[in-house]
């Protein structure tokens, strides 16, 4: 269902929903816009820093020895972007819910989450979702999607969870013209994103180009400034590599799941010391291979949604688009 | 929300070390009693928790099947195994699993079977030796080739006399002592001593990566198809069920697509033997 509302109404709606949900909204925090439990919402800035993976797959989370039956208030995440939704639905849900065995901790957090996405109207210069099969608006996985028109907003529900939000809110349905207006705005945003990276992962065959290039010199040159901080992985909405930290005490078995980075030297090392990728260039290339070949094979989508966070986070100014461009 | 209660896959079963056997310098077999039974097949692995220290993958070395008692033979190589080697009977550990595919019985039964072990690699192969001894009619001619650095390093020293009833056995060590009467050199030197039908036989190799690499290469050169050469890979299997990505080898998850592969599957993958 697509409803139509006035811009000013959104604050009232969020107010109503905050009675039943713990609300996280994109909000300015220092120099960054983060998902916070604040009142002031920044609807414009893309992407919201930190993204949404922290909400279903926290950076460090007790997975054994926690109280699994503890009840928590439902969480509503407002202002989610298409790139992050795509990572959640196409990668995270597949690996942690659909592929057995399901991760029970993820499942609980995921089911507790209501996702309110928003169309991107002012893509950042690091955005390139359209080059990797995405769009600057939510296509699936949202419960409610908000599209800002000029004075009005369209609110599209896509699940029972989303429909439930309007049980006590009466709104008119959007007309065909309203939807046309929304789609025109979306087209404009799409064109704006396309300027940032005029490539298409399928047509330009990123996968094959990466696979076929095992030229040590090329990758060494691209990785030359890498500081091996792992920031690109931690900021990435599709990266979920993790390690299990053993923190049991004498009374109880406790384990903590913690994000890991394939760029770190010890990532694939085994107990005896053997390491299949001791050199940085191999690990650097592996990240591209993983995203555009292995994940593509596994999830039928590349492990990159074009959110551009790896570009903004990199202290060495390494740009994934330039690395790929050099291979085409 | 869903009606069925899913099990937390990270939650291990508690276990007690009931006995410790010293097999060789730096290699011990830990006899465990689990609070709940598990069922494992030959070549599958488990994740062993050393409480407060770490968790690591190991292949059991006792008879495959269902039960509360399993043996794990472990070499001291890193932090977790170092702490484990200092533990005494009565100490508490935990186990989850089993994981992985195990040895492909359909590929090795009813053929001449060449079992090739290197060092502590004999531990997982011991489960296969049990499989052969329990199902003699399915293994027309089993051979066991075993290589070790030193005679002291040989695992299960007392078992070889039992195994000799069923297996043709050849052993070699790199550094013999005065009493050593058998072969000297790496395990591939034993290949001259055996006669097998290279068009039909199957081989299973478990040992250090470099040993598997050269043994497999040599067998292929002898004419054995890479599809009938079976290896068990060791990579960083952290979760055990394909959700942490650490053990990716090419497109394979060693933890769930392996750890047992045909040589054909892995021979060309960069980093396979590192």
């Amino acid at each position: 269902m697509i409803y139509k509302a006035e811009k000013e109404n959104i604050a009232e709606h969020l107010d109503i929903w905050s009675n039943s949900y713990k609300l996280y909204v994109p909000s300015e925090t220092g120099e960054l816009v983060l998902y916070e439990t604040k009142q002031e919402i920044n609807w414009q800035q893309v992407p919201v820093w930190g993204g949404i993976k922290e909400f279903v797959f926290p950076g460090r989370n007790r997975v054994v020895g926690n109280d699994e039956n503890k009840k928590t208030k439902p969480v509503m995440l407002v202002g989610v972007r298409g790139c992050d939704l795509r990572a959640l639905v196409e990668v995270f849900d597949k690996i942690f819910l659909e592929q057995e065995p399901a991760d029970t901790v993820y499942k609980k957090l995921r089911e507790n989450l209501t996702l309110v996405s928003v169309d991107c109207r002012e893509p950042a210069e690091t955005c390139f979702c359209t080059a990797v099969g995405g769009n600057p608006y939510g296509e699936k996985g949202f419960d409610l999607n908000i599209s800002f028109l000029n004075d009005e907003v369209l609110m599209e529900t896509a699940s029972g969870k989303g429909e439930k939000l309007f049980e006590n809110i009466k709104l008119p349905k959007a007309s065909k013209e309203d939807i046309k207006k929304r789609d025109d705005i979306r087209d404009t945003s799409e064109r704006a994103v396309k300027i940032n990276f005029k490539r298409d992962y399928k047509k330009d065959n990123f996968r094959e180009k990466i696979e076929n290039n095992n030229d040590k010199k090329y990758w060494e040159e691209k990785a030359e400034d890498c500081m091996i901080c792992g920031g690109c992985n931690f900021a990435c909405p599709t990266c979920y590599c993790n390690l299990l930290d053993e923190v049991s005490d004498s009374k109880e078995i406790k384990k903590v799941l913690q994000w890991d980075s394939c760029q770190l030297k010890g990532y694939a090392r085994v107990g005896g010391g053997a390491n299949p990728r001791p050199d940085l260039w191999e690990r650097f290339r592996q990240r591209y291979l993983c995203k555009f070949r292995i994940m593509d094979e596994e999830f039928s989508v590349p492990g990159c949604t074009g959110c551009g966070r790896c570009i903004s986070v990199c202290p060495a100014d390494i740009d994934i688009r330039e690395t790929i461009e050099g291979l085409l | 929300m869903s009606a069925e209660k899913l099990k937390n896959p990270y939650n291990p079963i508690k276990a007690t070390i009931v006995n410790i056997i010293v097999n060789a310098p730096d290699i011990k077999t830990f006899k465990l009693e689990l609070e709940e039974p598990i069922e494992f097949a030959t070549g599958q692995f488990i994740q062993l928790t050393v409480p407060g220290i770490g968790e690591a993958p190991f292949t059991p070395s006792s008879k495959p099947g269902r039960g509360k008692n399993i043996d794990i033979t472990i070499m001291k190589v890193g932090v977790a195994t170092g702490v484990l080697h200092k533990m005494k009977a009565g100490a508490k550990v935990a186990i989850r699993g089993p994981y992985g595919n195990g040895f492909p019985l359909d590929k090795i039964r009813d053929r001449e079977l060449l079992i090739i072990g290197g060092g502590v690699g004999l531990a997982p192969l011991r489960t296969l030796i049990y499989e052969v001894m329990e199902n003699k009619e399915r293994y027309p001619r089993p051979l066991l080739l075993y290589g070790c650095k030193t005679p002291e390093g040989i695992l299960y020293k007392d078992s070889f006399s039992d195994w000799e009833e069923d297996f043709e056995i050849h052993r070699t060590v790199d550094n013999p002592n005065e009493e050593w009467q058998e072969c000297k050199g790496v395990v591939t030197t034993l290949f001259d001593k055996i006669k097998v039908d290279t068009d039909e036989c199957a081989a299973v190799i478990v040992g250090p990566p470099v040993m598997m690499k050269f043994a497999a290469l040599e067998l292929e050169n002898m004419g054995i198809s890479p599809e009938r050469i079976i290896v068990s890979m060791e990579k960083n299997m952290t979760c055990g069920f394909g959700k942490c990505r650490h053990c990716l080898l090419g497109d394979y998850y060693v933890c769930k697509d392996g750890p047992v592969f045909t040589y054909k599957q892995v021979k060309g993958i960069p980093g396979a033997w590192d």
Side-chain angles (χ1 to χ4, degrees):
Chain A
M1 185 73 84
I2 307 182
Y3 301 102
K4 182 174 161 178
E6 298 298 319
K7 251 185 203 167
E8 301 82 66
N9 296 141
I10 291 186
E12 294 162 28
H13 298 161
L14 291 176
D15 205 36
I16 294 169
W17 296 332
S18 69
N19 293 322
S20 331
Y21 298 86
K22 185 167 186 188
L23 243 61
Y24 287 86
V25 299
S27 194
E28 275 161 47
T29 306
E31 286 174 10
L32 298 172
V33 172
L34 305 169
Y35 290 109
E36 296 278 10
T37 53
K38 289 185 181 172
Q39 293 289 320
E40 311 78 39
I41 304 180
N42 180 323
W43 291 105
Q44 284 79 41
Q45 186 150 326
V46 199
V48 179
W49 200 248
I52 63 176
K53 78 174 170 183
E54 181 74 39
F55 289 87
V56 284
F57 188 67
R60 257 186 85 79
N61 193 28
R62 180 86 65 82
V63 291
V64 175
N66 64 357
D67 184 1
E68 286 186 46
N69 296 317
K70 206 170 77 187
K71 286 260 179 290
T72 44
K73 196 174 179 182
V75 169
M76 180 185 283
L77 207 46
V78 179
V80 177
R81 305 295 173 157
C83 50
D84 287 353
L85 271 183
R86 209 166 155 230
L88 187 71
V89 174
E90 303 284 2
V91 177
F92 275 55
D93 284 354
K94 280 185 194 161
I95 195 81
F96 293 121
L97 294 180
E98 289 169 31
Q99 284 186 17
E100 288 187 359
D103 181 327
T104 51
V105 177
Y106 177 89
K107 187 169 190 284
K108 194 180 164 202
L109 292 169
R110 180 72 175 93
E111 286 172 349
N112 200 41
L113 204 58
T114 295
L115 295 162
V116 179
S117 51
V118 62
D119 293 2
C120 302
R121 290 199 54 174
E122 295 168 44
E125 59 178 13
T126 46
C127 290
F128 61 99
C129 58
T130 49
V132 285
N135 276 308
Y137 46 84
E139 290 173 286
K140 61 175 179 177
F142 59 85
D143 297 300
L144 170 65
N145 183 72
I146 299 178
S147 310
F148 283 92
L149 307 185
N150 292 329
D151 298 313
E152 293 141 341
V153 290
L154 297 194
M155 297 191 164
E156 179 177 1
T157 57
S159 69
K161 272 183 185 175
E163 208 44 58
K164 198 173 152 225
L165 299 174
F166 294 93
E167 268 177 350
N168 300 313
I169 295 172
K170 292 283 162 275
L171 288 174
K173 273 169 67 176
S175 66
K176 272 191 181 152
E177 294 78 57
D178 296 328
I179 295 170
K180 170 84 172 54
K181 254 188 231 170
R182 178 189 77 173
D183 292 348
D184 287 345
I185 293 172
R186 285 181 168 183
D187 285 346
T188 311
S189 308
E190 256 183 79
R191 282 197 297 275
V193 181
K194 276 183 181 153
I195 294 168
N196 294 338
F197 193 25
K198 295 175 188 130
R199 292 291 186 178
D200 180 272
Y201 83 106
K202 273 190 182 155
K203 280 187 209 136
D204 294 302
N205 214 343
F206 290 6
R207 173 173 164 162
E208 210 169 274
K209 295 283 161 45
I210 292 165
E211 249 168 50
N212 294 345
N213 190 317
N214 199 14
D215 175 11
K216 186 179 170 195
K217 264 207 176 115
Y218 180 78
W219 294 101
E220 270 181 348
E221 187 190 302
K222 290 294 162 191
E224 198 184 356
D225 296 332
C226 174
M227 296 175 187
I228 320 181
C229 68
C232 48
N233 298 122
F234 300 137
C236 177
T238 71
C239 279
Y240 60 82
C241 280
N242 61 83
L243 49 86
L244 206 50
D245 197 3
E246 172 44 48
V247 292
S248 302
D249 53 37
S250 55
K251 288 188 195 116
E252 199 189 0
I253 297 282
K254 296 179 196 165
K255 291 182 188 292
V256 168
L257 206 68
Q258 172 179 318
W259 294 353
D260 197 5
S261 159
C262 60
Q263 301 304 290
L264 309 182
K265 191 167 186 176
Y267 173 83
R269 188 169 54 211
V270 299
N275 190 346
R277 289 182 294 278
D279 292 338
L280 174 60
W281 76 271
E282 297 170 295
R283 300 196 298 277
F284 190 88
R285 175 171 181 263
Q286 176 72 12
R287 181 169 152 258
Y288 288 80
L289 260 185
C290 179
K291 296 201 165 299
F292 291 98
R293 181 201 157 80
I294 308 172
M295 282 188 151
D296 191 42
E297 189 72 19
E298 214 172 339
F299 304 116
S300 309
V301 292
C304 172
T305 64
C307 75
R309 287 192 186 90
C310 59
I311 304 168
S312 352
V313 78
C314 185
D317 292 329
I318 296 169
D319 190 324
I320 185 170
R321 295 169 296 186
E322 286 170 20
T323 308
I324 295 170
E325 192 63 50
L327 297 167
L328 303 180
Chain B
M1 293 219 181
S2 57
E4 89 276 29
K5 178 83 180 130
L6 287 168
K7 269 179 80 176
N8 181 343
Y10 298 105
N11 207 3
I13 297 167
K14 287 182 185 159
T16 306
I17 299 174
V18 290
N19 197 6
I20 300 168
I21 295 160
V22 178
N23 302 106
D26 287 339
I27 302 177
K28 291 178 179 178
T29 295
F30 297 83
K31 291 185 155 306
L32 306 185
E33 191 172 288
L34 281 55
E35 283 187 1
E36 293 166 38
I38 63 165
E39 182 168 3
F40 74 93
T42 173
Q44 284 192 301
F45 70 96
I46 54 94
Q47 293 282 3
L48 176 67
T49 293
V50 183
I53 303 297
E55 196 184 48
F58 298 100
T59 309
S61 52
S62 47
K63 196 179 285 185
R66 184 179 166 83
K68 284 187 176 181
N69 291 87
I70 66 166
D71 299 353
I72 309 177
T73 303
I74 295 171
M75 181 160 69
K76 190 167 94 178
V77 293
V79 178
T81 53
V83 172
L84 203 58
H85 268 247
K86 285 187 187 144
M87 285 181 154
K88 304 242 158 40
K92 302 289 181 194
V93 291
I95 270 183
R96 55 190 182 87
Y99 301 117
N101 55 358
F103 295 118
L105 300 182
D106 59 322
K107 280 200 166 78
I108 60 172
R109 281 179 166 176
D110 307 315
R111 291 175 186 277
E112 269 185 325
L113 176 62
L114 207 46
I115 298 179
I116 304 165
V120 76
L122 188 61
L125 288 173
R126 193 184 185 205
T127 65
L128 187 58
I129 291 169
Y130 280 117
E131 147 72 18
V132 171
M133 293 172 76
E134 296 271 302
N135 301 284
K136 286 178 184 153
E137 70 290 352
R138 304 300 302 270
Y139 296 93
R141 186 175 169 240
L143 295 89
L144 174 62
L145 312 186
Y146 183 45
C148 239
K149 283 200 178 115
T150 61
E152 297 77 38
I154 288 177
L155 294 188
Y156 318 127
K157 295 178 184 74
D158 301 336
S159 300
F160 282 88
S161 54
D162 294 340
W163 296 344
E164 247 161 7
E165 291 175 22
D166 295 300
F167 287 84
E168 177 185 326
I169 298 177
H170 299 275
R171 304 194 298 185
T172 181
V173 295
D174 295 347
N175 307 306
N177 58 15
E178 282 169 13
E179 289 103 68
W180 185 253
Q181 305 280 320
E182 299 166 59
C183 226
K184 178 181 183 296
V186 294
V187 77
T188 46
T189 58
L190 297 173
F191 292 177
D192 294 338
K193 298 192 171 300
I194 54 160
K195 270 210 167 87
V196 287
D197 178 358
T198 52
D199 292 333
E200 279 298 324
C201 76
V204 176
I205 315 170
V206 184
V210 67
M211 168 267 183
M212 292 197 286
K213 178 182 176 178
F214 286 106
L217 188 69
E218 188 66 29
L219 292 178
E220 191 185 8
N221 289 339
M222 284 163 63
I224 302 176
S225 159
E227 285 177 77
R228 282 182 278 111
I229 302 172
I230 315 286
V231 291
S232 180
M233 304 302 286
E234 187 199 1
K235 291 290 165 212
N236 184 356
M237 289 97 94
T238 299
C239 68
F241 39 76
K243 297 201 195 296
C244 82
R245 299 186 87 78
H246 283 86
C247 68
L248 271 176
L249 175 65
D251 289 348
Y252 297 121
Y253 286 100
V254 173
C255 68
K256 62 174 194 181
D257 301 320
V260 178
F261 293 93
T262 64
Y263 179 53
K264 188 186 178 190
Q265 284 176 294
V266 295
K267 63 184 222 175
I269 302 176
W273 313 107
D274 298 317

